[in-house]
Amino acid sequence: MTEPQKRPLPVRVRRHTDGIPMNDLFRSDPARPARDLPKVPGRTEDGHARPVAPPEAPAPSLNLPRRPPPADPDLAERPGPSVPGWVAVLTGLTALAGAAAALWRARPPRAVELPPWQWAALACCAVVAVVSFGGLTRGRTGSAWVLSLFGRYRGSVRRTGLVWISPFVLRRRIDVRLRHWRSEPIAVVDAEGSALRVVVLVVWSVRDTARALLAVDDHLGYLREQVEAATARVLSQLPADAFRGGAPTLRNAEAVGDALTRMLAAECRPVGIAVFSAQPTRIEYAPEVAAAMRRRQIAVLDAKHRDSVLTGVIDAVDDTVTRLTTRGLVELDDFERQALVKDLTVAFYTRSGGPAEPNQE
């Protein structure tokens, strides 16, 4: 009897399809048994050092508690001394009428016959008329008067229309309407140190006129500086893009806006400013790093595409081989099965959108 011919060992050929080693997909080769290597702690079965996964860092949070600056408890808005304008007009007209009557009685040649108290009454009427008409002013909708006397706060007047305020106090007008402010591009860095340019839209109004005008030198300048500081602090907690996994990023505009609004409202409350909304309208990389980050984003998208295509190809190959064998169309041993799987994987990957081989000129 002749000896059965031994099947030659398969020659392992390193195949490439645009950088994808196909032989690495099929490690279990029954024609070549694996060597029995002694197991060493910290190493794999083939003797190589076992990779140690770095510890996962806790996901940063946008909950940023911080103690706001203290507010002066004695400095708070309160109603200032004022009366409706029609009362002052009526008082002034009455004083003018009394002065006119006194002057009528003091007309020549009986002017010397008036007693001193009548001359005093005439002077009082003149003073009352001057004060009544001199304190008239116009209260506008969306603005308020802040009153002070000898440097001390005396109250605020939010009346509209014709109103009388004492002419002996210092009056300063302040806008209390709902306002919005769009910042210039603010230079910040994210959690990974990438330079960013951020534009923030702030919706705010003056809640306490006394603190807004007297607690700080310039409440508008204070708001702008706090917007820049809060934006830099909030955006430094997260990366702009998650290139590794689905970690939270600055692309979640709602979460970033809520954190920025809370921080800015706490910082501006001691100066009488109410912040209703602070939303980043544009977050983009700085010009000096924009090109590099764009290439990095494209590489990540390409890697995700490759992974999805390869997953679909492997599922298609598995389904094809399973159908062929279960229906009895072909009978394959382990060697033939591996060869068929390799050929189908290359063919399906090329047809499913995988990168083609570059043309050799």
Side-chain angles (χ1 to χ4, degrees), residues 245-287:
T249 65
L250 297 177
R251 302 305 176 185
N252 189 352
E254 183 176 358
V256 175
D258 291 343
L260 186 59
T261 301
R262 290 196 304 269
M263 177 180 294
L264 197 58
E267 295 291 340
C268 296
R269 191 176 298 113
V271 297
I273 297 178
V275 178
F276 302 101
S277 174
Q279 297 292 332
T281 60
R282 187 171 73 246
I283 300 178
E284 58 186 14
Y285 289 104

Side-chain angles (χ1 to χ4, degrees), residues 4 11 47 94 110 125 136 165 205 293 320 337 341 346:
V11 179
T94 303
R110 296 185 302 171
C125 289
L136 289 176
I165 301 174
S205 68
M293 290 301 173
T320 302
R337 181 188 295 271
V341 167
V346 174

Side-chain angles (χ1 to χ4, degrees), residues 131-178:
V131 172
S132 298
F133 291 110
L136 289 176
T137 186
R138 181 180 61 175
R140 300 177 182 175
T141 302
S143 64
W145 291 104
V146 178
L147 311 180
S148 60
L149 181 63
F150 301 113
R152 184 178 180 181
Y153 174 64
R154 303 299 298 175
S156 300
V157 179
R158 290 179 178 258
R159 291 176 177 269
T160 59
L162 191 62
V163 64
W164 179 87
I165 301 174
S166 174
F168 301 105
V169 298
L170 178 62
R171 292 176 282 184
R172 284 183 284 182
R173 190 185 294 273
I174 184 172
D175 195 343
V176 295
R177 294 174 296 179
L178 186 66

Side-chain angles (χ1 to χ4, degrees), residues 205-332:
S205 68
V206 174
R207 179 69 58 83
D208 192 310
T209 57
R211 291 180 177 177
L213 200 58
L214 302 177
V216 67
D217 184 32
D218 181 12
H219 64 281
L220 295 177
Y222 181 88
L223 176 63
R224 295 189 183 98
E225 296 296 335
Q226 289 298 329
V227 168
E228 184 175 355
T231 301
R233 184 168 179 232
V234 170
L235 269 68
S236 65
Q237 305 300 313
L238 293 177
D241 292 291
F243 297 104
R244 302 175 183 176
T249 65
L250 297 177
R251 302 305 176 185
N252 189 352
E254 183 176 358
V256 175
D258 291 343
L260 186 59
T261 301
R262 290 196 304 269
M263 177 180 294
L264 197 58
E267 295 291 340
C268 296
R269 191 176 298 113
V271 297
I273 297 178
V275 178
F276 302 101
S277 174
Q279 297 292 332
T281 60
R282 187 171 73 246
I283 300 178
E284 58 186 14
Y285 289 104
E288 57 269 17
V289 299
M293 290 301 173
R294 191 177 298 108
R295 290 194 298 269
R296 186 177 180 184
Q297 289 176 348
I298 294 175
V300 171
L301 293 177
D302 183 65
K304 290 182 179 179
H305 173 70
R306 288 169 180 259
D307 182 71
S308 62
V309 170
L310 186 58
T311 302
V313 167
I314 293 175
D315 293 340
V317 170
D318 179 66
D319 182 67
T320 302
V321 175
T322 303
R323 289 185 178 185
L324 290 174
T325 55
T326 55
R327 295 182 180 181
L329 299 179
V330 293
E331 293 183 0
L332 302 174

Side-chain angles (χ1 to χ4, degrees), residues 338-357:
Q338 286 192 6
L340 178 61
V341 167
K342 292 180 181 180
D343 295 338
L344 289 177
T345 302
V346 174
F348 286 175
Y349 183 80
T350 305
R351 293 291 301 273
S352 299
E357 292 289 342

